[in-house]
Amino acid sequence: MCPPTPETPPQAELGLIGLAVMGRNLVLNLADHGYTVAVFNRTTQRMTDFLEGEAKGRSVVGYERLEDFVGALERPRKVMLMVEAGRGVDAVIGALLPLLEPGDVIIDGGNSNFLDTRRRERDLRERGIHFLGVGISGGEEGARHGPSIMPGGSREAWELVRPILQRVAAHVGGAPCCDYVGEDGAGHFVKMVHNGIEYGDMQLIGEAYDLMRSVLGMNADELAETFARWNEGPLNSYLIDITATIFRVRDRDGTPLVENILDVAGQKGTGRWTVVAALEEGVPLTLIAEAVFARSLSALKSERVAAAAHLTGPAPSAAPEREAVLADLEAALYAAKITSYAQGYMLLRAAAKTYGWSLNYGGVAQMWRGGCIIRSAFLDHIKAAYDADPELPNLLLAPYFRDAVTRAQGAWRRTVAFGVQHGVPLPAFGAALAFFDGLRRATGPANLLQAQRDFFGAHTFERVDGPRGTFYHADWLGQGGGTSDGGGA
């Protein structure tokens, strides 16, 4: 091969399609680490602006034709897609396929549904093309300076791209926040659960803020100071840190900007996907489900405004002792956060069994320690728990977390009761506590539920004095027949 000339740029180690904010920042990150990157965008002007702006003078080469873009890549070719999930990904893959050859690698770095990733990986494998579904977290800043990267799919493809992805990922203690997750859709599934936990964390913080503002009467400066103090303790995390910063930012008129933002939350779907997956797996992902529904309720702004004129809550009571309430709230927030992660890891374990993935649960925590939205000191304890017991059935049973929630449960209960007493909804705090209480009780009320099901639908039940898996049906109306073995319900 002839040496490159000014008219013949060097072949690129990686190609990237899709130059929205995340794509552009990943390209700059790759270039910073010494890689030559070929880029392509459906809208040529966006690519031109990027090349003449942020990427000017860097090892980034743009191509207006997809054929030229593919031709500029080293073999085996490695193409990363940062395009809209769903039909957008399928359309780009369809356009690339005639230009690729067996052994080439396609990397989907968007927020694709893991079921789509499973389908794509299977279809492309049959054509000899490697496919990776890669979850990337950290937003614009993470993409630019080091995100958390969660690759799943072809192990052969992973080995081909591992040096690149691990180099540009965030690092904590010298270890990259990027490692192979598992087969086909495992990477995007882990990213989906990450996003679900993110929904839960944000909802818990929002509920804490609501109590602090609505009942304790705290202003923005006091809120900023409190969250900054919490960030120095067990709650140390990216989300707590940025919350403190948010309360310090002022609008053009000098008022806190956050107070001028409409209380209507958006969502892009990954939280909802997490809840749907939990329903499919039969996992009680109650806290994250409440976080998703809370966003849906927030969207009913006009209905809430109308209802506020007619529905009343508790009468105002004497001002509470602020410091005591805040101390309880800090402990309750930590306990609820632990429960959120415990539920998320329950979903990971269930899906791994369903789809045959060999997930490294401590490794997942390692990938989340830096670069991503849910990064926190808390994750070190999760990694340690799974390093000590890779088969840990529930995070709440690990000694550190068991002791933490036991110490916090008094404050947790007082916080939920405080919200109820003052008419401030705490769906995530309450769901987390209800899950904890449900899990810790060896005997619950489902025996009555089963009796009802058997009464009206002959759905059968198991007996406490019988072997598991043997089902019975009762003659509830005394019309004869007694009990009999039945099929499962």
Side-chain angles (χ1 to χ4, degrees), residues 38-242:
V39 296
F40 175 87
N41 195 78
R42 182 172 57 87
T43 306
T44 302
Q45 188 60 50
R46 172 176 284 181
M47 181 181 70
T48 301
D49 292 344
F50 176 60
L51 295 172
E52 294 177 353
E54 300 163 282
K56 189 171 184 178
R58 299 175 180 271
S59 53
V60 181
V61 186
Y63 295 90
E64 296 185 10
R65 297 189 337 126
L66 199 58
E67 295 84 350
D68 297 332
F69 164 83
V70 171
L73 302 177
E74 289 182 350
R75 286 180 168 84
R77 304 176 182 93
K78 306 169 192 70
V79 182
M80 176 173 274
L81 313 184
M82 296 298 297
V83 301
E84 185 179 0
R87 286 180 293 181
V89 174
D90 286 327
V92 175
I93 290 175
L96 280 171
L97 274 178
L99 307 174
L100 299 179
E101 58 190 26
D104 289 343
V105 182
I106 297 176
I107 307 158
D108 177 10
N111 271 332
S112 288
N113 187 292
F114 79 100
L115 295 173
D116 287 338
T117 303
R118 282 173 55 82
R119 167 180 57 81
R120 291 167 185 144
E121 194 278 333
R122 180 186 64 246
D123 293 347
L124 289 169
R125 186 183 346 120
E126 292 175 354
R127 296 169 175 260
I129 305 296
H130 298 303
F131 187 74
L132 286 173
V134 177
I136 299 176
S137 178
E140 300 175 29
E141 188 70 13
R144 181 65 185 86
H145 299 293
S148 170
I149 304 178
M150 297 154 258
S154 162
R155 186 174 285 276
E156 296 90 338
W158 162 242
E159 292 303 327
L160 290 171
V161 303
R162 178 175 56 82
I164 299 174
L165 296 185
Q166 289 192 332
R167 190 172 180 186
V168 301
H171 286 68
V172 175
C177 296
C178 171
D179 203 355
Y180 182 71
V181 174
E183 301 78 3
D184 51 70
H188 275 142
F189 192 92
V190 168
K191 174 55 162 56
M192 179 192 73
V193 173
H194 163 285
N195 284 20
I197 292 172
E198 178 185 312
Y199 272 58
D201 272 4
M202 294 172 72
Q203 178 63 25
L204 288 168
I205 292 170
E207 291 175 14
Y209 156 64
D210 201 3
L211 272 183
M212 296 158 79
R213 171 193 60 175
S214 303
V215 183
L216 300 183
M218 297 174 68
N219 62 37
D221 291 334
E222 292 170 325
L223 289 163
E225 181 182 340
T226 300
F227 278 96
R229 185 174 71 249
W230 285 355
N231 197 47
E232 295 172 357
L235 286 171
N236 172 261
S237 65
Y238 172 76
L239 284 170
I240 294 289
D241 183 36
I242 68 168

Side-chain angles (χ1 to χ4, degrees), residues 247-317:
F247 287 122
R248 294 190 180 102
V249 176
R250 294 296 186 265
D251 208 348
R252 291 164 295 185
D253 61 359
T255 60
L257 176 58
V258 68
E259 295 177 5
N260 297 328
I261 296 175
L262 190 68
D263 61 325
V264 174
Q267 52 183 312
K268 291 189 174 180
T270 49
R272 184 171 65 252
W273 292 349
T274 310
V275 176
V276 170
L279 290 170
E280 293 288 346
E281 295 293 338
V283 173
L285 207 74
T286 53
L287 189 156
I288 293 170
E290 288 292 354
V292 173
F293 287 130
R295 293 197 187 192
S296 299
L297 182 58
S298 80
L300 303 178
K301 178 66 174 179
S302 59
E303 289 91 330
R304 290 189 289 116
V305 170
H310 301 282
L311 304 178
T312 60
S317 57

Side-chain angles (χ1 to χ4, degrees), residues 362-405:
V364 170
Q366 167 71 39
M367 284 185 281
W368 290 348
R369 287 172 66 204
C372 69
I373 303 301
I374 64 172
R375 63 184 182 267
S376 66
F378 172 93
L379 287 156
D380 290 331
H381 297 296
I382 296 181
K383 185 175 188 305
Y386 282 105
D387 285 349
D389 182 5
E391 300 303 318
L392 181 69
N394 191 297
L395 200 59
L396 289 170
L397 301 181
Y400 173 85
F401 295 109
R402 179 195 63 212
D403 294 345
V405 295

